[in-house]
Amino acid sequence: MSTESFKIGQRVHSLNDPCRVGTVKYIGGVEGYSGTWIGVDWDNDGDGKHNGTVKDVFYFNGRSQTSASFARSEKLSSGITLLQALELRYQTTSTKDEEDEMYVLSAKNKRVSIQLLGGDKIQDKLSRLDELTSASLPFLGVSSLGGVSSDLGSVLPNLKLLDLTGNLISDWEEIGALCEQLPALTTLNLSYNSLSSEVTSLPQLKNIRVLVLNNTGLSWTQVEKLRPSLPALEELHLMGNMISSITSTSSSDDQVFNSLRLLNLEDNCISEWSEVLKLSKLPCLEHLYLNKNKLSRIFHSVNGNESSTNSSVPFPSLRCLLLGANNIGDLASIDALNVFPKLVDIRLSDNPITDLARDGVPRYVLVARLTKVQVLNGSEVRAREKKESEIRYVRMVISKFNNKPEEIELLHPRFNELKKLHELDDEIASAENTRPKNIPSGLISITLKCVGPSMGEKTPLTDKLPSSMTVKKLKSLCENLFKLRSIKLRLLLHEEGSPFPTPLDDETSRLLDAGIYDGCTLLVDEES
């Protein structure tokens, strides 16, 4: 291609590598070299050689120290049309050389050609574009429709899902024309396209139900400009867009995405829960994904106080909230989740509150404090686990805050409710509802299982032990029972539904205080 075919701001890819995508930032001469060069700022760090400055001469601003480079025009491609990509992907037959590359080695190290059973029929069906219901065209260099006048509707009348990940599309007007011409299209993936911030001239796209805009560089304000054109949108994915605020362009409630059921904001930069609460009036929102943000605190009203009226209850339809890999570390934030009336599926993994090494709490405490939880960190919370967790939690609170009702009420808002629910009182808080009636008060049944690599095969033992026994005394007992005097032991609590066992590192703690309950299993390991 000639230099005249390129312009500043244009999306291009390396001629021999459609996955190496960037933006033209400079066209002109380079000191010390002849001819005209194209300066490209590549999307991926490391795809370039510098930051736009070469030998102390500034040409353009690169995103990083290794994102920019210069290339001759013939080494770059400004892309192909959508129809060309479809033909390349679905109508190109394999060459003789490509077929020769499909082989396995025999026992005598000779090539045996592979013939795909039914391959001709599959290729024939895919090549009939009018029968395609889904098309995947990632990183093929698609930059245009090939003219807005092209009749895509007659070529792809049944296409419902179109994946254009990692192409060269940026113009919203062309995106709108694409959707208009595909009457059956309901799902569109434009991830890893550098989309224009000027969201204008979009028609009504009444059939689009799922829109994926991951890593497109769009802010929430720009996304909100799409709302009038997407009245039926049910899923919106916005991962990796550096979104830090939910800034609305209108204060009117009728400006929100009224049909939206799933909103994916993972891997962004939201740090304030007040920003999340701006989404709380979405009437149909059932799934909100906020993994890998910067949230440290949760509350359920803008000023941090409880809402006083039912009309202001946030997220009325929310069932699933993913908060993994944030900075949440306080139990008050966990308690705040109980205000959401339908929330049953919660992810809190990779937060300080779940990391015992950072003063986090074990799974049973979370299960007990979350009123309606049915799935925690991807694992189902069954009725038995829920009941046992709540009873253990009550016993733990009693052991730590005996005769301090004011402190209990302040720090453990569900304590009295759970104590009444399971008919526990301060004297018999040793999980009477869960243990066999013939176990004397104060004794709990524990199964001890050796798992240390140098312990050999040892039969697990089940015994009834005093709940007042310390972890240190239990270690000594294990040394005698399993004849492990030469090994330094470590005890871990294995809980149903929890992916990792909980270490019992405080040797002075009583079994009751450590959350050991009747019928549990302790793993006897060795210190590493």
Side-chain angles (χ1 to χ4, degrees), residues 53 166 234 246 368 507:
T53 298
E234 295 179 0
I246 308 297
E507 291 192 337

Side-chain angles (χ1 to χ4, degrees), residues 140-208:
L140 287 179
V142 177
S143 59
S144 71
L145 302 184
V148 175
S149 60
S150 59
D151 189 7
L152 287 175
S154 61
V155 179
L156 301 161
N158 297 304
L159 193 68
K160 295 180 180 179
L161 184 153
L162 179 58
D163 182 359
L164 290 170
T165 296
N167 283 283
L168 308 179
I169 297 168
S170 60
D171 188 351
W172 282 104
E173 186 174 351
E174 193 138 26
I175 294 168
L178 166 68
C179 296
E180 274 194 310
Q181 291 184 43
L182 298 175
L185 190 67
T186 60
T187 301
L188 179 61
N189 188 347
L190 295 169
S191 297
Y192 290 95
N193 284 274
S194 184
L195 300 177
S196 170
S197 59
E198 298 298 321
V199 184
T200 56
S201 305
L202 270 182
Q204 282 278 304
L205 308 177
K206 296 181 179 179
N207 293 328
I208 298 297

